[in-house]
Amino acid sequence: MSHREDHEGNEDYEGRNRTSRTSKADRANRATRVHGAVGADWGAAGPAALPEPTALTTAQRSAALESMSSPEGLDVLVVGGGVTGAGIALDAASRGLRTGIVEMGDWAAGTSSWSSKLIHGGLRYLYQLDFPLVHEALTERGRLLTTTAPHLVKAQPFLWPLKHHYERSYSAVGVGMYDALAVAGARGRRTVPIQKHLGRAGTRALAPALDSSHLAGAIRFYDARVDDARLVIDLVRTAVGLGAMAASRTKVTGYLKDAHGTVTGARVTDLETGTAHEIRAAETINATGVWTEQTQDMATTEGGLKVLASKGIHIVVPRQAIDAQTGIFLRTEKSVLFIIPWPRYWVIGTTDTPWTQDVSKPVATSADIDYVLEHANEVLTRPIRREDIIGTYAGLRPLLQPHLKPGAEAASTKVSREHTVTRVAPGLTAIAGGKLTTYRVMAVDAVDHALGEARAHAHPSATADLPLVGAARYHEEAARAGEVARSRGWTLARVTHLLDRYGDELPALLAAIDEAGPEAAWDRPLALAPDFLRAEVAWAVTHEGAAHLDDVLLRRVRLDIEQRDRGLAAAQEVLEVMAPLLGWGEEEVAAERASYAARVEQIAAAENEGTDAAAVAHIEQAI
């Protein structure tokens, strides 16, 4: 079923709709309240004096649950807090709809924090002649780079090594088409540099680590990278700033239905307190990724989407392990492999293998790690060794299950990543497929579908040019980076790191440091993770919804992927900052550290196993 189809069942929406009659001017005013008044003074006093309507906190979460459970109900309830669900919540809120979003774990705890962290058009899809999909993705890439999230999304060059001279011509055509589609999607503007052809000498100059002895040269092209978890958190925060109600660690246990069988909301349980709630909504949208079938089957088992879980793993090595100024793009017998530079490390992956185990427990096996090492080392002059690896991670892609003949099997690498939206039951819409880059398009389609054509036309999406939290004045703040560095006695690299995480909220972060005072020492680097300030841990709690140690180490201050002990040694200082903000005593602090230590031990044991089944046997709880 096409994601543009199936508007049936929406005829009665007008009668059940509780949509606010919100004009474009009203939505613009809301956006102004989120991002600050145009031309506002962001100097020393800065945004600390402004209201902070986007902050995610434990108090905000409790208030959101109570508000969502009120008799007034919602226009739209979104189930799932990954990038798709977060994008849907923002899209619905941008239309002036009374919107709620619930997530059974932390924000981005599933697939959306374990991706390749790339914003890309899908260069390989050109070779499948899927031009519309590539054009759509490149258009979204341009938006993210220039308008909606320039603080988080960064242009990233890659080298495509060429083994034979004849490869240059057809590869150049493919990359040239990629560039052309990107420019077309940006209405004639260039958001990244176009391709450049290199010989052996030019290839060696950019990437001495690349074995060029058997190469004809390389093509340099551009895509972009992003901290995937931070993107999701900023989406949720932006939605909250536009009036959405958001509650993490809130699990849907069933759906509410009226006498005609129409879904009218959901029963949920607050996993922090055990309290049950009923949330009524005119429309409910299921955006739960690899959990799609589980969540939709609570409403009906007679139809809906079929999703194939495919595991992708990545390894992380220190920046000094690979001598190169650019990323590297490799085609493998199954898919592609990226060697992606970040300021302190390289991310290398991914695999693409069917997953038949518990979808809450994906983990890298020894065989997975060997596969990535083998393919990376085929092109590197200095092989990466096991002992070079400082981190690994695994995630599951929700791929749409194709219709198969009896007895046939699907290779996960051949399943389309294009998304599909369908009506599972009256009042309940489900969406699956897609990819990180096109989350906004998926969100528009999901909300349009849930509302029906007439209502969607009356209340159009307003996200195409809506800056996320931190984006609106990012470039203005970046221009002041040297001034901030001098005034604080920091390196420019330190300020750049903060800008690329918090964007135009940097003045508010600095104000929070000053207000906390010298005793809190929020301006001090973490002793065992000096690239991060103690203030970043505090901000994770006061603005980004972190309520547990793993929320910080896995998805806010991401030591889990860049330290061999997954940040365990730094955990005590992280807890020292978190505890007073969350009201924890010694018992809670000890329990948080013990839980995280158990996770570290279990994943280490799993990585020594050769099969998924053996690896999962070590994992006691969702990771």
Side-chain angles (χ1 to χ4, degrees), residues 311 313 363-370 386 606-607 609-612 615:
K311 184 178 72 167
I313 81 109
V363 68
T365 65
S366 180
D368 293 328
I369 295 169
D370 285 342
R386 281 268 183 158
E607 288 176 351
E609 300 290 353
T611 67
D612 290 336

Side-chain angles (χ1 to χ4, degrees), residues 252-335:
V252 171
T253 57
Y255 292 105
L256 305 174
K257 294 185 177 182
D258 66 13
H260 305 288
T262 297
V263 172
T264 58
R267 289 185 293 275
V268 305
T269 298
D270 180 347
L271 298 181
E272 295 287 87
T273 66
T275 305
H277 297 262
E278 290 190 349
I279 302 174
R280 301 197 175 277
E283 293 292 339
T284 301
I285 301 177
N286 174 9
T288 53
V290 293
W291 286 270
T292 295
E293 292 182 49
Q294 296 177 26
T295 48
Q296 74 183 8
D297 287 353
M298 287 188 282
T300 178
T301 58
E302 297 180 357
L305 298 177
K306 298 294 183 182
V307 174
L308 178 70
S310 173
K311 184 178 72 167
I313 81 109
H314 296 76
I315 65 173
V316 183
V317 299
R319 192 61 194 258
Q320 61 268 26
I322 300 174
D323 184 8
Q325 301 174 37
T326 179
I328 300 170
F329 168 84
L330 306 172
R331 300 188 72 178
T332 70
E333 75 282 0
K334 293 182 179 180
S335 182

Side-chain angles (χ1 to χ4, degrees), residues 115-120 156 158 223-226 338 340 342 436-437:
S115 73
S116 294
K117 311 187 192 312
L118 289 176
I119 298 294
H120 65 111
Q156 176 59 59
F158 287 94
D223 260 316
R225 57 178 169 81
V226 66
F338 287 95
I340 310 161
W342 285 78
L436 179 70
T437 305

